[in-house]
Amino acid sequence: MSSRRSDCLVMGTGIAGLSFALKAAERGRVNIVAKNLACDTNTNLAQGGIAAAMGDDDRLELHVEDTLKSGCGLSHLDTVEIVVDDGPKMIEELEELGVPFSMAAADPKRPEMGREGGHSRRRIVHAKDMTGQAVQKVLAEKALAHPNITVFEFHLALDLILETGPDGAARAVGAWVLNRETGAVSDFFAKAVVLATGGSGKVYLYTTNPDGATGDGLAMGWRAGARAANMEFVQFHPTCLFHPKRTNFLISEAVRGEGGTLVTREGLSVMRDHPDGDLARRDEVALAIDAEMKRSGAPCVFLDITQKDPDFIRNRFPKIHDTCLGLGLDITREPIPVVPAAHYQCGGLLVDTWSRTSLPGLYAIGEVACTGLHGANRLASNSLLEALVMADRAVDAASEDSRLAPEPVCSEAVWPTGRLGQAPSEAVLITHSWDEIRRFMWNYVGLVRSDHRLRLASARLRMVQAEIEEFFRRFEVDADLIEVRNIAVVADLIIRSAASRRESRGLHFSLDWPERDDVRFKKDTVLVNPLPSVLLSQAEGT
Ligand code: SIN
């Protein structure tokens, strides 16, 4: 078998992709493509932790209740129960793999529980403020050493490969993948194709996400005909560091969980009018900060944790403390300047409770998927948990479906490369397109929206997208072109979903439709691509 043929092809090496791969590798061969180094993921940056109802005063029902409340009426009860119920088991599995969670001082055999907004109990299992890094390191080491797993680093998938079966239905059987080091595009085939590519924070000018968060899997799945849902619900984290030298550094919600308060330059509490104060839901805190900044004209607000003991701060938040100190800010003595920034995509490719998308052969796990857990607003630290549980279920689904699926024909299709060769000097237009999209998305499709702003964004996007598609058709592809093409698809899905939701709910706030309207809109926004554009391989005999 060619090294590019496997039982499962996984795109993405965050917590979802790696935990899927490690379990799937017990049943067959797994290829993983990573656009950068395997550890260069959004998971690696996650500070807060993994929500799991494991505290003495906690119960699964309370975690379910908090998740539903945060989701503002759109979370799916079946998914919420599945994910929450499996929480403690997932934590135990990670502990067995060797993830070094912070342990309770009173009982060093049990994880210490952190607190974040929207949770009625302390239930965030964490490794100080570097939870993602601790998980990523262990999973990546295991995957890289596994005899049944091959990780292709610096490989970027650009489109899915479909086959039509005897019944005429399309099925995902692989992906076209760019080797970023050689520039060659090759076909990777598998019986199960798994998107675990993470989110799309880079669609906005300011984000806590790493550069790779360009919605690649979402865009590929959409182009191939998989349904997308709830893309209007983009979560803006209330507290991204406001500093010219470090624009995407997150200040974890756990800082507020441990007593940090949001204040204006004059020392007035930003959350003074909310009954839950600084631990209100994330959408409410971000909107309150935005309103305060607009009212005062100040470029940021401040997160003040100086009332806590300096040793506690240094020990509980070493990453935040050291990063800020490196920028000349001692958080044990000074408040931290913060602003909201795009953080998490609550929508994504619509999946069932087994991570199957609407396209046979294609699975989506982690941030790229819309499982129904988050509804209109994700509860803090529920996403790493969701990735673990849904990856676990995807392994069973993929293995069961593959047993029944026809062997992919793997016809040696040739990527229609060459075209007009290398993009000419106008390639700089791609950078301009990228900047333009991120800027108008920030200005018109950010925390506060209106029908007029959405129309403006849509008109601009149409022009930019036409330019990008023309480039894509005419010239050799490179990572920049692939990513900006994907960003444009994501922007389009966000704008269209936002325009169709004529109410305000959770993370979607419209000046024209400020009220929640349960009669017309207590439902998911589901988008269907009427013209899937990828069908590159044809099964024999059809
Ligand atoms: C944080 O640490 O505030 C981020 C946690 C999350 O987004 O779930």
Side-chain angles (χ1 to χ4, degrees):
M1 183 156 82
S2 145
S3 65
R4 302 198 310 272
R5 312 283 181 261
S6 58
D7 296 294
C8 296
L9 170 63
V10 181
M11 267 79 83
T13 49
I15 188 170
L18 291 178
S19 60
F20 174 92
L22 285 168
K23 289 179 177 175
E26 300 306 311
R27 308 184 191 189
R29 279 215 52 80
V30 181
N31 279 340
I32 314 183
V33 298
K35 67 198 283 190
N36 295 310
L37 285 169
C39 279
D40 193 358
T41 66
N42 211 356
T43 296
N44 201 41
L45 299 186
Q47 294 179 0
I50 306 175
M54 296 171 78
D56 284 336
D57 63 346
D58 205 357
R59 282 181 288 123
L60 296 171
E61 299 78 46
L62 293 176
H63 189 180
V64 167
E65 213 173 89
D66 291 345
T67 302
L68 294 174
K69 193 166 154 206
S70 191
C72 301
L74 291 194
S75 296
H76 301 185
L77 180 61
D78 53 352
T79 310
V80 175
E81 286 179 342
I82 286 168
V83 172
V84 165
D85 287 0
D86 273 0
K89 184 177 117 197
M90 293 296 138
I91 298 297
E92 279 160 27
E93 283 184 12
L94 289 178
E95 283 178 321
E96 274 164 28
L97 286 176
V99 176
F101 290 120
S102 301
M103 291 302 185
D107 181 356
K109 289 207 177 69
R110 299 180 64 186
E112 177 182 77
M113 294 290 154
R115 176 127 196 226
E116 291 181 0
H119 289 276
S120 57
R121 296 289 186 279
R122 284 188 166 267
R123 66 165 69 98
I124 315 298
V125 179
H126 58 277
K128 297 189 186 266
D129 60 353
M130 293 171 280
T131 312
Q133 195 177 317
V135 173
Q136 179 81 45
K137 184 167 181 293
V138 169
L139 295 183
E141 277 170 9
K142 302 250 179 252
L144 288 164
H146 199 294
N148 258 356
I149 297 178
T150 307
V151 182
F152 293 81
E153 292 180 316
F154 298 105
H155 280 64
L156 174 58
L158 60 134
D159 260 323
L160 298 176
I161 302 176
L162 309 187
E163 281 182 359
T164 46
D167 58 354
R171 170 178 185 81
V173 292
W176 293 106
V177 177
L178 170 77
N179 178 334
R180 298 183 61 182
E181 286 166 332
T182 65
V185 177
S186 326
D187 48 6
F188 280 62
F189 284 99
K191 276 187 140 189
V193 179
V194 182
L195 298 171
T197 46
S200 57
K202 293 296 281 190
V203 80
Y204 285 95
L205 192 55
Y206 302 110
T207 175
T208 60
N209 291 181
D211 286 347
T214 50
D216 305 329
L218 175 64
M220 281 190 284
W222 172 256
R223 281 193 292 268
R227 292 174 179 209
N230 290 356
M231 286 301 296
E232 65 273 42
F233 299 117
V234 177
Q235 187 165 67
F236 289 77
H237 197 291
T239 58
C240 179
L241 179 67
F242 178 69
H243 193 284
K245 291 206 181 113
R246 197 65 203 268
T247 49
N248 71 341
F249 185 67
L250 179 70
I251 307 294
S252 175
E253 189 152 325
V255 173
R256 277 179 286 131
E258 297 300 343
T261 51
L262 286 161
V263 290
T264 64
R265 183 172 288 286
E266 296 73 36
L268 193 63
S269 160
V270 174
M271 297 306 295
R272 58 192 175 277
D273 293 331
H274 197 290
D276 295 332
D278 289 284
L279 289 179
R281 280 190 343 236
R282 212 172 253 190
D283 55 323
E284 296 170 323
V285 179
L287 273 178
I289 295 175
D290 186 65
E292 174 58 36
M293 284 163 53
K294 284 183 177 139
R295 186 195 63 76
S296 66
C300 64
V301 297
F302 296 86
L303 180 54
D304 191 355
I305 183 89
T306 55
Q307 71 280 20
K308 296 292 273 196
D309 176 56
D311 284 337
F312 169 81
I313 297 173
R314 281 189 281 266
N315 184 47
R316 175 67 178 84
F317 302 113
K319 176 93 179 172
I320 296 173
H321 174 268
D322 293 355
T323 304
C324 289
L325 202 59
L327 295 166
L329 178 72
D330 182 352
I331 69 167
T332 65
R333 293 146 52 101
E334 306 160 78
I336 313 166
V338 290
V339 284
H343 182 60
Y344 191 87
Q345 163 197 298
C346 292
L349 293 176
L350 189 61
V351 293
D352 66 10
T353 52
W354 293 93
S355 306
R356 296 182 181 99
T357 70
S358 59
L359 181 66
L362 184 67
Y363 307 81
I365 48 179
E367 194 171 345
V368 64
C370 179
T371 64
L373 177 73
H374 308 309
N377 180 39
R378 179 183 65 106
L379 183 63
S381 287
N382 261 356
S383 43
L384 296 185
L385 173 64
E386 178 194 50
L388 290 164
V389 174
M390 297 309 290
D392 186 61
R393 295 171 74 80
V395 174
D396 286 340
S399 133
E400 175 63 16
D401 299 347
S402 303
R403 222 171 35 79
L404 306 172
E407 277 296 327
V409 175
C410 307
S411 41
E412 296 287 338
V414 176
W415 176 251
T417 183
R419 303 168 181 193
L420 295 187
Q422 295 263 303
S425 52
E426 283 92 328
V428 70
L429 296 179
I430 292 303
T431 318
H432 290 169
S433 303
W434 181 289
D435 290 344
E436 192 177 349
I437 294 174
R438 296 183 68 201
R439 200 167 285 279
F440 70 65
M441 287 301 287
W442 183 259
N443 288 332
Y444 300 150
V445 200
L447 273 161
V448 177
R449 299 158 180 180
S450 72
D451 290 350
H452 180 62
R453 291 178 195 181
L454 292 175
R455 274 195 300 274
L456 288 176
S458 174
R460 290 194 179 194
L461 181 65
R462 267 200 302 279
M463 284 190 299
V464 182
Q465 206 167 11
E467 272 175 27
I468 295 169
E469 283 303 329
E470 193 191 334
F471 251 78
F472 188 80
R473 275 195 310 277
R474 294 178 62 197
F475 299 109
E476 271 179 20
V477 291
D478 65 9
D480 285 346
L481 181 53
I482 293 167
E483 288 182 340
V484 79
R485 180 175 180 240
N486 292 339
I487 281 293
V489 169
V490 175
D492 179 43
L493 296 178
I494 296 174
I495 295 168
R496 283 205 272 147
S497 305
S500 72
R501 184 169 289 280
R502 302 186 143 205
E503 64 155 358
S504 290
R505 179 189 299 267
L507 298 162
H508 173 70
F509 179 73
S510 166
L511 292 169
D512 296 306
W513 309 93
E515 303 302 327
R516 174 164 155 170
D517 179 351
D518 274 350
V519 176
R520 292 195 306 154
F521 290 107
K522 196 172 174 192
K523 58 183 183 197
D524 293 331
T525 307
V526 179
L527 297 181
V528 181
N529 184 350
L531 289 173
S533 59
V534 188
L535 198 65
L536 300 177
S537 179
Q538 195 83 358
E540 275 166 357
T542 61

